Amino acid sequence: MRDLFGGGDIEALGDGAAVLRGFALREAKDILAAVVEVSAAAPFRHMTTPGGYRMSVAMTNCGRAGWVTDRRGYRYACDDPETGRAWPPMPPSFRDLAMRAAAAGGFDGFEPDSCLINRYEPGTRLSLHQDRDERDYAAPIVSVSLGLPAVFLFGGLQRSDRPRRVPLESGDVAVWGGPARLAFHGIMPLAEGHDPLTGRSRINLTFRRAL
Ligand code: MD3
Ligand code: FE
């Protein structure tokens, strides 16, 4: 583990993409407590892809809009299809963290309206994809990794571009925008392990301007 008050180092991954190592370490415990609150109102669930596959990543959302998938397609929705109610509001501390990280990554004025919360367990993976369900690709995406480490696959603008492998640890925050906004990316199957804060899981928060 990195020291609690460390962070500060920025790893550029090429044009428009950067990893802020340890940026969320100090806040990790509070963020996870807020995730427990969110998931009490909007439980984690395994959604179905348009092709009929069950996603191995368990997901929920907070904020005005939440990312959902079912047989009808991928989209953002203001109501949780499981409960029929609005997604829980985005905690002000989440919004604040996302805005500070975006600014540190070179994107001032980021105003996220959506926070997708992904939960991985050992063996869970996310295959290579682009994030293209948002209305405006000018806004960056900010992602916060907590708990078990993962290997992030960072590809190019074509699916066939060979992805780089970027290790992500608890507290790392990544910012993707500009030329990297439509890069293909994914997560390798999570390795077995135990994290003091999350146990046998990895939690990823992805902040977006969706609507
Ligand atoms: C690079 N989540 O929810 S976050 C996703 O760790 C998603 O749960 C992964 O990909 C996770 O869609 C990766 C990092 C990320 C998010 C969006 C990107 C990287 C990105 C968009 C463009 C390029
Ligand atoms: Fe993605």
Side-chain angles (χ1 to χ4, degrees):
M1 206 210 282
R2 232 168 250 113
D3 86 89
L4 273 176
F5 303 101
D9 43 320
I10 300 188
E11 203 173 306
L13 294 179
D15 233 12
V19 181
L20 315 175
R21 296 289 178 193
F23 194 87
L25 257 187
R26 271 183 305 178
E27 293 135 282
K29 235 180 143 168
D30 294 337
I31 298 167
L32 288 165
V35 167
V36 169
E37 293 278 302
V38 166
S39 67
F44 282 102
R45 81 291 308 263
H46 295 273
M47 296 194 251
T48 303
T49 66
Y53 292 100
R54 170 190 190 265
M55 294 191 73
S56 68
V57 182
M59 299 175 160
T60 186
N61 291 277
C62 62
R64 196 155 80 80
W67 186 83
V68 296
T69 177
D70 57 21
R71 290 308 299 245
R72 286 158 47 209
Y74 306 125
R75 64 194 174 278
Y76 284 90
C78 293
D79 294 326
D80 177 350
E82 290 294 316
T83 66
R85 291 179 317 210
W87 296 104
M90 190 185 301
S93 59
F94 281 24
R95 183 184 128 89
D96 184 70
L97 170 63
M99 293 184 71
R100 282 186 284 120
F107 297 90
D108 272 317
F110 178 48
E111 294 265 11
D113 58 9
S114 175
C115 174
L116 171 65
I117 307 174
N118 291 155
R119 188 184 67 200
Y120 296 75
E121 278 159 18
T124 302
R125 65 187 296 248
L126 188 61
S127 52
L128 218 57
H129 66 279
Q130 292 171 299
D131 290 15
R132 41 188 313 165
D133 304 317
E134 301 74 25
R135 202 168 64 81
D136 181 3
Y137 301 145
I141 292 179
V142 171
S143 99
V144 178
S145 292
L146 297 169
L148 287 178
V151 178
F152 179 73
L153 297 169
F154 181 45
L157 295 178
Q158 318 256 17
R159 184 179 289 280
S160 56
D161 295 337
R162 185 197 325 190
R164 298 173 53 174
R165 292 168 177 232
V166 181
L168 291 178
E169 283 185 43
S170 194
D172 289 348
V173 178
V175 181
W176 321 87
R181 178 61 183 76
L182 288 173
F184 278 88
H185 60 277
I187 295 283
M188 297 270 288
L190 211 70
E192 196 56 71
H194 179 275
D195 178 87
L197 290 182
T198 62
R200 201 169 161 268
S201 70
R202 168 178 187 261
I203 299 286
N204 180 269
L205 280 65
T206 310
F207 294 93
R208 300 186 174 84
R209 181 86 195 174
L211 304 182

